[in-house]
Amino acid sequence: MSGSFSIDGVTVPFTEGQTIMDAALAAKIYIPHLCHNPEFVPQGSCRLCCVSVNDRMVAACTTPAADGLEVANETHEITTQRRLLLKLLFVEGNHVCPACEKSGACQLQAVAYHCGMLAPEFVHFYPKREVDASHPEMIIDFNRCILCELCVRASRDYDGKSVFNISGRGINAHLTVNSPSGKLGDSNFSAHDKAARVCPVGAILPRNHAYETPIGQRLYDQESISQVGDVASHQELSDD
């Protein structure tokens, strides 16, 4: 089956099995997202990609494309809702953009700019979270984790290791490492794993490589995320 539908009045073709997100990405139409990666089964957890389909809100990454759908993506109401989600993500963690080595190449930061979030609105939680520097090649800064589960899916579905997991619920949900000590250094994680390259923020980083690219030359310093896409795909290219 194939056909077409519209996103903000633009006709978008689709083929059998594609979601609204798949078809939009193929047509180079940007729908903001954080937990989606075309290489993994979508789970619709971040809700940033919610769009209005025939006046009903759905996640674009999990909703099948269908002939004749009328999708609204960049309306004032939807962008306002996305901005609210982003503000909540920023206050829930400890995101220190001015000092973060991922600044300018961080998908959370780039989506926030795209959606017009330029300042926090809510009181920060300032949770007490650790930095795991037990691995010889990689570190995990749990302060920056946004629970997108991309590393969980990459390690489980691509690397076949299941190094990561999400434990707890609600505000107590957190990323965990499956090793006897709970430390990354005691797991079978490798810097060459897919899971080492999919983090959209600065939670999983290589050691001894900080600030390699100067400010002004980083991915999203050059163009908007709506033009250059996800940071993970560019990370893969730079690793090659």
Side-chain angles (χ1 to χ4, degrees), residues 208-225:
N208 306 315
H209 289 275
Y211 305 105
E212 280 192 329
T213 305
I215 292 174
Q217 297 179 25
R218 299 173 184 175
L219 182 64
Y220 301 125
D221 291 338
Q222 305 295 314
E223 292 184 276
S224 165
I225 190 171

Side-chain angles (χ1 to χ4, degrees), residues 146-195:
I146 57 172
L147 303 177
C148 66
E149 297 193 40
L150 284 173
C151 61
V152 176
R153 285 178 279 166
S155 184
R156 180 191 62 211
D157 302 338
Y158 191 96
D159 301 325
K161 294 184 175 180
S162 294
V163 170
F164 302 103
N165 201 358
I166 302 294
S167 298
R169 291 176 175 271
I171 193 63
N172 295 316
H174 59 284
L175 183 68
T176 60
V177 176
N178 294 322
S179 71
S181 64
K183 296 292 187 182
L184 193 64
D186 293 329
S187 72
N188 59 348
F189 184 72
S190 165
H192 302 291
D193 287 352
K194 184 79 170 181

